[in-house]
Amino acid sequence: MKATRALLTLLALCGTATAASYTVKPGDSLYSIAKKAGVDAPTLMKLNKLPSTTIQVGQTLNLGGTPAPAARPQAAAPAAAPQGVSIRAAATRFLGARYVLGATGGGALDCSSYTMSVFRQLGINLPRTAAQQWRVGSAVSRRDLRAGDLVFFNTMGRTASHVGVYLGDGMMANANSYRGRTVIEPLFANSYWASRYDGARRVLN
């Protein structure tokens, strides 16, 4: 009897309703919100008549659903694996682009314009330089790194003179001046990067 009552309570709490709207919070992206809502990003863009995937903190998005019980949002936290897939897809899009210091497109990028381009695909606008990107988001310890974290290095005698994107499994993507192009390569298994590692910042939920 107790088990039956608990099951009925759980079903009542979950229901079939979905949230009707969502207010964008720091670190959110269109893709992470779409996953929470159970829709894809193009559908979310169409519902809100968005010309691009860029969203702003405080913006209210129509999720196309109906008001849900108060307990439902607690069960809708985004999973790490889908986020990892999204960031890897965004990072891969720009692989092979030529490294040119100061370049921001046209087939050429530098380290910070590469990370800008990657995160723009996820609806997040980053500052232009690695030093400025070092000051956004929240600090992450080395043992807590996850896909989508920005990773920073001292390559010129100053903090955060180089930036890349951590992809998980000890790998990162970056615009590498030595190789002359954007690449995916080991982070801590590479002695050059491991010895120059400054830290990481999280800008994705």
Side-chain angles (χ1 to χ4, degrees), residues 32-70:
S32 67
I33 295 171
K35 287 185 178 69
K36 291 179 185 178
V39 300
D40 56 29
T43 298
L44 200 56
M45 291 175 66
K46 188 173 182 180
L47 281 170
N48 293 274
K49 298 180 180 179
L50 298 175
S52 72
T53 58
T54 301
I55 54 177
Q56 304 296 327
V57 174
Q59 180 178 356
T60 299
L61 297 178
N62 174 18
L63 302 183
T66 55

Side-chain angles (χ1 to χ4, degrees), residues 149-162:
D149 290 340
L150 291 170
V151 286
F152 295 87
F153 307 87
N154 182 338
T155 58
M156 301 175 65
R158 66 176 185 271
T159 299
S161 53
H162 183 75

